Amino acid sequence: MWFSRPQRYQALDEEEKPLQQDNSSSDSLPTPRRVSFQDDFLPRRYWRYLICLSIINFLILVTSCVLLLSWFINAPHGRNALLKATDSFIAPVLDKLTISTSVKMMNATLYPGPNPSLARQKPNPEVDAWWDELELLRTIPITKAQVLKLGKDPEIVAKFDDEYWGLGDDAYMAQVDVFHQMHCLNQLRKLIYPTYYNYTQNDIHHAELWYVHLNHCVDVLAQNLMCTGNTDLYTLNWMETQGYPFPDFNINHQCRDFDALLEWRKKESVDLDKWVAQKKPEGAKQVEPSEGIKQLLSAEHEKAGWGSDWHSHGHG
């Protein structure tokens, strides 16, 4: 064993040598004898300490290996690994679509310049068509397992009726959140041009619902901006005619390929005409609207001359 005492040998002293003849022979060589050096070794209790220390080190090593293996198993791998590690709660989209990233310089000057982006241009047919596609809430099917990963209850999440859609019994309805955010941004953009979009209060029949919707959009955008918490920095410059440093908002961002997401959504979503024509399946489990929604719908129905029964006009 590694902790056994070694054996050492030394030649006999002169007085311990046997009588020898004068002639030289191999028999006349000194005979070695075994000598024990017990006093050179640590007491037995120290050996116990060394053994215990070795066991502790072994246990630490095993624990470290288990923790490393657990991290490796639970860490995101493969497609979009880095995005999955920093993305939202769970992103089934990233399991199906490879989204590349690249560094882009933001064009955030105060004045647009000669070639402004569509988002900055005044209303025109091309601009409206661009925004219409971005805010269009296309619906994609997801599985029950993905619903559970989202922290939702499959019992109340709307399913695609297999008899109507032919998608099987494991198809639930979902939409990509960023396009809802684009919808909200577009609603606020239209406030800049109230005449063009007929946004004057007198032209709006559902005035209260309109304000509720816009406040919802402001809140949604604020929550998402605070959730992602962009930590990129912009610098400031001294500018002629300005008494204080002027911000330079043209900064580099690590950006995702949004066009790839746009194309994937269009490819994976269900047919829009069929979506509009669908009816609520018989026996579908429904959620109860909040008291605020009930009161708002009742008030709007009364204004429209439908009475206060909001159940009888497609909202039940």
Side-chain angles (χ1 to χ4, degrees), residues 66 73 270 310:
V66 171
I73 292 175
V270 298
W310 54 272

Side-chain angles (χ1 to χ4, degrees), residues 190-230:
K190 290 179 179 179
L191 292 177
I192 306 173
Y193 312 100
T195 302
Y196 182 90
Y197 291 109
N198 295 323
Y199 261 28
T200 57
Q201 186 172 356
N202 293 333
D203 294 330
I204 300 172
H205 176 68
H206 299 293
E208 182 63 25
L209 181 59
W210 183 69
Y211 284 113
V212 169
H213 181 204
L214 291 178
N215 284 323
H216 153 81
C217 281
V218 171
D219 188 32
V220 164
L221 293 175
Q223 288 186 64
N224 277 276
L225 288 171
M226 290 186 290
C227 180
T228 54
N230 186 356

Side-chain angles (χ1 to χ4, degrees), residues 10-81:
Q10 72 177 31
L12 295 173
D13 295 331
E14 288 295 325
E15 59 270 21
E16 294 177 307
K17 293 180 181 179
L19 295 175
Q20 302 176 358
Q21 296 180 354
D22 293 339
N23 58 346
S24 297
S25 67
S26 60
D27 295 335
S28 64
L29 294 175
T31 302
R33 70 178 177 85
R34 180 175 175 180
V35 178
S36 174
F37 291 87
Q38 184 173 358
D39 294 339
D40 294 343
F41 292 90
L42 295 173
R44 182 174 298 177
R45 66 177 179 275
Y46 289 108
W47 288 107
R48 294 195 188 100
Y49 296 154
L50 290 175
I51 293 173
C52 291
L53 183 61
S54 299
I55 293 174
I56 293 173
N57 287 333
F58 176 75
L59 293 176
I60 293 175
L61 176 62
V62 171
T63 303
S64 300
C65 291
V66 171
L67 293 176
L68 181 62
L69 180 62
S70 176
W71 171 85
F72 181 80
I73 292 175
N74 293 299
H77 301 288
R79 176 181 289 175
N80 302 308

Side-chain angles (χ1 to χ4, degrees), residues 21-284:
Q21 296 180 354
D22 293 339
N23 58 346
S24 297
S25 67
S26 60
D27 295 335
S28 64
L29 294 175
T31 302
R33 70 178 177 85
R34 180 175 175 180
V35 178
S36 174
F37 291 87
Q38 184 173 358
D39 294 339
D40 294 343
F41 292 90
L42 295 173
R44 182 174 298 177
R45 66 177 179 275
Y46 289 108
W47 288 107
R48 294 195 188 100
Y49 296 154
L50 290 175
I51 293 173
C52 291
L53 183 61
S54 299
I55 293 174
I56 293 173
N57 287 333
F58 176 75
L59 293 176
I60 293 175
L61 176 62
V62 171
T63 303
S64 300
C65 291
V66 171
L67 293 176
L68 181 62
L69 180 62
S70 176
W71 171 85
F72 181 80
I73 292 175
N74 293 299
H77 301 288
R79 176 181 289 175
N80 302 308
L82 293 178
L83 291 182
K84 290 178 181 178
T86 58
D87 202 31
S88 55
F89 182 62
I90 186 69
V93 174
L94 297 180
D95 292 327
K96 299 180 178 181
L97 170 66
T98 298
I99 301 180
S100 61
T101 61
S102 61
V103 176
K104 290 185 178 181
M105 173 72 74
M106 298 291 103
N107 181 7
T109 56
L110 181 59
Y111 288 91
N115 298 306
S117 68
L118 291 173
R120 195 184 285 219
Q121 293 181 23
K122 293 182 178 180
N124 63 66
E126 183 183 9
V127 168
D128 288 339
W130 185 75
W131 278 105
D132 287 346
E133 176 58 35
L134 288 181
E135 72 169 345
L136 189 60
L137 298 180
R138 298 178 182 270
T139 308
I140 60 174
I142 62 174
T143 65
K144 180 178 181 179
Q146 291 170 331
V147 170
L148 291 171
K149 286 183 178 180
L150 291 171
K152 299 298 182 178
D153 183 1
E155 293 297 321
I156 59 176
V157 173
K159 294 183 67 175
F160 287 98
D161 183 22
D162 186 36
E163 185 176 346
Y164 180 78
W165 291 99
L167 296 175
D169 191 48
D170 192 23
Y172 295 78
M173 299 179 184
Q175 296 173 343
V176 182
D177 188 37
V178 66
F179 297 102
H180 172 240
Q181 297 171 37
M182 295 301 293
H183 158 76
C184 280
L185 181 59
N186 192 32
Q187 297 307 302
L188 299 178
R189 179 190 68 90
K190 290 179 179 179
L191 292 177
I192 306 173
Y193 312 100
T195 302
Y196 182 90
Y197 291 109
N198 295 323
Y199 261 28
T200 57
Q201 186 172 356
N202 293 333
D203 294 330
I204 300 172
H205 176 68
H206 299 293
E208 182 63 25
L209 181 59
W210 183 69
Y211 284 113
V212 169
H213 181 204
L214 291 178
N215 284 323
H216 153 81
C217 281
V218 171
D219 188 32
V220 164
L221 293 175
Q223 288 186 64
N224 277 276
L225 288 171
M226 290 186 290
C227 180
T228 54
N230 186 356
T231 56
D232 292 334
L233 301 177
Y234 60 84
T235 56
L236 298 95
N237 305 319
W238 290 111
M239 180 179 290
E240 297 178 2
T241 73
Q242 301 297 315
Y244 290 91
F246 199 80
D248 178 7
F249 294 119
N250 294 341
I251 62 176
N252 290 312
H253 281 302
Q254 188 75 28
C255 300
R256 301 181 185 186
D257 187 351
F258 189 80
D259 290 335
L261 177 60
L262 196 63
E263 290 301 317
W264 177 87
R265 183 187 70 140
K266 186 181 296 185
K267 178 182 176 182
E268 294 292 322
S269 61
V270 298
D271 181 77
L272 286 175
D273 292 333
K274 197 170 183 179
W275 171 264
V276 173
Q278 72 176 331
K279 302 296 182 182
K280 185 185 298 182
E282 291 292 334

